[in-house]
Amino acid sequence: MVNEYYFDNFPELESERLIFRRFSIDDAPDVFEIRSDDRVMRFMDSHKHRNVYDSEGFISKNFEIYKKGNGLFWAIVEKASGELVGDFAFWRIEKENRRAEIGYSMKPKFWGKGFMTEAMDRLLRFGFTDLNLHSVEAEINPENENSEKVLLRMGFKREAYFRENRFFDGWFLDSAIYSLLERDFKYDMSNLVASVNSKK
Ligand SMILES: CC(C)(COP(=O)(O)OP(=O)(O)OC[C@H]1O[C@@H](n2cnc3c(N)ncnc32)[C@H](O)[C@@H]1OP(=O)(O)O)[C@@H](O)C(=O)NCCC(=O)NCCS
């Protein structure tokens, strides 16, 4: 089963450049900055936040999901500046299958620095070793190339392509499903990060 301990004791974590902490309602302006930005929302297939109250509601709803043991939501903070740069979640947790879906986003000014790769490396490791997940799933808009690149870098494999299975904003949209098994997770990312940097 999934390790329930973390639903009473929120796992505050860190990596080389980042801190992963729980959300507070005071983070609403940063969440609003992310979820009202067209560049971020382009392939999210969900509605933009219209104001900071939408973002407060989003934080509260996620907290309720956490309290029920169905999701974990981290604010990603850059150590150097102390700024909230993005978010990462395990949600739709299926306890009996030890499986979770992931969701993530980042302020565009922080794209291209490898922050999400670094975050996923740490948080997926937490998911497999501490939360006791067996597999992780990501559902993306097939046109979301940035998101796909991060998933492939982490070792995710495309397992399904659903045609027009989502109705959003008056359109039927395709989705691509990726998954990563615990045994396929690369516990040592240092080689991968080095190879990305050497291509620059
Ligand atoms: C998905 C998203 C978080 C990816 O952000 P990103 O900055 O492209 O991803 P990473 O943090 O992994 O950075 C990778 C890039 O940083 C570069 N990079 C620089 N330093 C790096 C380092 N030390 N390690 C790894 N990559 C590094 C990589 O070369 C890569 O650049 P490239 O895309 O030109 O090849 C971002 O595009 C986003 O927020 N999108 C909107 C929200 C969204 O669609 N979420 C997913 C919904 S399913």
Side-chain angles (χ1 to χ4, degrees):
M1 282 297 275
V2 162
N3 188 348
E4 303 273 351
Y5 172 83
Y6 295 106
F7 298 105
D8 292 318
N9 302 277
F10 189 87
E12 307 266 344
L13 301 167
E14 67 175 310
S15 60
E16 193 184 337
R17 296 175 292 175
L18 305 168
I19 287 170
F20 310 101
R21 62 156 173 80
R22 69 195 305 167
F23 272 101
S24 109
I25 210 75
D26 299 336
D27 294 320
D30 286 303
V31 171
F32 178 64
E33 183 178 333
I34 297 173
R35 294 201 174 238
S36 62
D37 189 311
D38 286 325
R39 293 166 293 178
V40 174
M41 300 308 286
R42 183 155 174 224
F43 301 118
M44 294 276 267
D45 303 341
S46 62
H47 289 289
K48 279 204 289 184
H49 290 190
R50 291 156 303 175
N51 50 50
V52 94
Y53 301 113
D54 278 353
S55 305
E56 287 182 1
F58 177 80
I59 293 169
S60 306
K61 197 183 83 195
N62 290 347
F63 184 69
E64 291 307 315
I65 295 173
Y66 168 67
K67 280 316 251 180
K68 287 186 189 139
N70 295 327
L72 274 162
F73 302 83
W74 284 275
I76 305 174
V77 175
E78 185 191 26
K79 281 183 183 172
S81 63
E83 183 168 348
L84 190 157
V85 298
D87 56 80
F88 180 93
F90 288 118
W91 64 306
R92 291 187 181 151
I93 294 176
E94 298 171 19
K95 289 183 183 161
E96 65 288 8
N97 297 325
R98 291 168 49 208
R99 186 173 176 90
E101 187 170 331
I102 56 171
Y104 43 89
S105 63
M106 189 155 278
K107 289 178 182 169
K109 65 180 169 181
F110 293 101
W111 292 1
K113 294 173 183 291
F115 277 179
M116 194 49 78
T117 297
E118 183 174 323
M120 279 204 200
D121 173 46
R122 180 68 191 94
L123 297 173
L124 290 171
R125 187 148 39 91
F126 168 83
F128 290 130
T129 58
D130 300 291
L131 199 56
N132 202 28
L133 294 175
H134 177 71
S135 65
V136 171
E137 178 176 321
E139 177 174 348
I140 68 168
N141 181 316
E143 291 178 41
N144 195 345
E145 286 176 15
N146 289 340
S147 187
E148 184 192 37
K149 271 202 250 173
V150 187
L151 294 173
L152 294 177
R153 199 158 31 236
M154 302 312 298
F156 278 76
K157 295 191 176 23
R158 183 186 276 202
E159 288 189 338
Y161 188 102
F162 293 124
R163 293 179 308 140
E164 301 189 11
N165 68 324
R166 281 174 66 87
F167 186 72
F168 175 68
D169 231 9
W171 300 90
F172 287 101
L173 304 172
D174 293 356
S175 6
I177 311 292
Y178 290 76
S179 92
L180 180 68
L181 303 184
E182 194 274 339
R183 65 173 173 277
D184 293 335
F185 181 60
K186 300 174 186 71
Y187 280 94
D188 182 6
M189 281 289 291
S190 48
N191 291 335
L192 264 173
V193 173
S195 81
V196 170
N197 285 338
S198 69
K199 284 188 205 135
K200 293 256 137 196

